[in-house]
Amino acid sequence: MGEECVSGDFTACVRREFPALAHKAYLDSACIGVAPLRAVRAVTDLVQGMQYCPAESGTAMHGRLNELRAQARPLVARLIGADAADIALTESATHGLKIALESLPLRAGDQVLIPDLEFIQMGIMWRQLKDRGITVRTVPHDESGRVTVDAVRAELTRDVKVLALSSVQWTNGFRADLAALSELCRRRNVWLVVDAAQHLGALPLNVRQTPVDIVVCGGHKWLCSPFGTGFLYLDPAVRPRLRRPLAGFFAARPPARTWGESFLRPDITPLQDYEFSEDAYAWETGGTGNYPGAVGLSASLSLLLELRPQRIETHLRTLTDYLTEGLDRLGLTVVSPRDPRHRSGIITFSTGRAATDTALMGSLLAAGVAVSVRFTSGVGGVRVSCHLYNTLRDLDALLAAAEEWQRRPRRNGRPPAHTRSQPRSAAARIIGQRALIDALDDDLMGLITARGGVSRGIRRSRLEGAMARTDLAREREIVERFHHRLGQDGTRLALELLRMCKGDT
């Protein structure tokens, strides 16, 4: 499938990877992305395999799981133009930001700048450094919802040691001029900390071309990864100046070739001096990791890399141009920047009032169009997230539902507010239910394929052991189990499964 995505049609590849979205207008990736089929299968295969512990021992299995988790680092590095040694795996953007805050060499009297449009988490976390004598100030946005380089420059006093910002803002999709901010921070000797959670997966970023000291990113939004995944990038030039956080032994170098081999040494003790790497993985927690999440992240990243970030950006530009034109026709106010240099996959629009924005969102949700409403510092509205799996048909559904909402009878010049108690239309419910059926069918087909692979492995083992190709007693046991759960239909299903898997049980 990967080769087809590299050389084949973009739309066809995306359709294969996201079959559950064929009949659903999901435009809310800035909140939660949708996992591709390969990520779902990777997680399922790992979890199902754990019931067999396929390695020869628990120690060997744990080592294998660590190796699988580590495979995500070079894929992250490729995505942002870094080296694998520069990447630490985290559970979220928040986790990465926490490590950054604890690692930066800040002192009492130092100041941190953040835009006033920032995601709430950014402000909450930096404000907690107040007891260390560190203050946080905001850079104001202009009348068009931008945080300009000039505005940042105006706030850069001698006490400012950190500029922390989201490269794409969560409410209006404003895309910062990272190149100019990077140059400014280097001239002023200011740390540049970037939250790329609303950026990566939708837009390219190359840290060699645009130097950034620290990048944090969660996986569950535009990277389309399972929850509990993310990464932290640490510029190798600045790592020697960072405090390394407390970490477990997996973040240290083993005294032997592997930690499994180290445990065999009689001289190992808990209080001996262990050496930590200068690579970014030394900033990880160093304990047992989120292995299913890591393999899911790797699978999702492999898809993004095959489709190519530049091609995804071009696709999103087509979608956002189309949406902006449609919103203009309806007379709805586009809140997001129109300048292509500051555009992202997020297009936010407004009716002019927060209450009616919320009412319109409710109407869109009832029509089967998934969007959000977000505000920060007075900027926001109905937020639409256009991602690689979205199509012009999704946007037509949104525009048609918005136009229908505008045509409803008005009270005091305003459309009636939508409440969550209003039932969704039967057609909208059917669309959602069909999407679920499609997803379940894909799971079933994936499980059948996996079952066939296990059956072939059993056949090879029986042949190597000079046993009969088929164990009739085992087949009878399978049929009886299916019959017990599903009756006669279960019997027929079991026999068909045995046939498809060639009876190699």
Side-chain angles (χ1 to χ4, degrees), residues 252-318:
R253 291 194 178 107
R257 188 179 62 87
T258 66
W259 279 108
E261 292 180 9
S262 301
F263 297 155
L264 303 177
R265 294 176 49 167
D267 61 337
I268 193 171
T269 70
L271 293 181
Q272 69 188 68
D273 290 330
Y274 291 97
E275 180 183 357
F276 285 82
S277 170
E278 296 302 320
D279 290 350
Y281 80 82
W283 273 257
E284 295 180 4
T285 302
T288 298
N290 176 8
Y291 301 121
V295 300
L297 175 62
S298 294
S300 295
L301 288 171
S302 72
L303 174 63
L304 296 175
L305 291 168
E306 288 168 14
L307 292 174
R308 298 197 302 273
Q310 290 76 14
R311 189 161 57 159
I312 295 172
E313 181 183 26
T314 299
H315 177 68
L316 298 192
R317 181 64 52 80
T318 299

Side-chain angles (χ1 to χ4, degrees), residues 61-77:
M61 190 64 210
H62 210 159
R64 175 59 180 153
L65 289 171
N66 281 332
E67 291 172 358
L68 287 172
R69 180 174 180 271
Q71 290 175 7
R73 293 194 196 102
L75 293 172
V76 171

Side-chain angles (χ1 to χ4, degrees), residues 468-485:
R469 291 169 58 91
T470 302
D471 184 341
L472 294 178
R474 170 62 176 160
E475 290 195 351
R476 190 178 304 111
E477 177 186 330
I478 291 171
V479 172
E480 289 174 353
R481 188 166 69 251
F482 273 73
H483 179 82
H484 177 72
R485 291 285 297 274

Side-chain angles (χ1 to χ4, degrees), residues 186-209:
R186 271 159 171 67
R187 285 204 313 266
R188 300 290 188 91
N189 196 28
V190 171
W191 291 89
L192 180 57
V193 179
V194 172
D195 182 342
Q198 300 289 4
H199 183 138
L200 290 170
L203 305 170
L205 173 62
N206 189 303
V207 294
R208 286 194 175 95
Q209 298 171 2

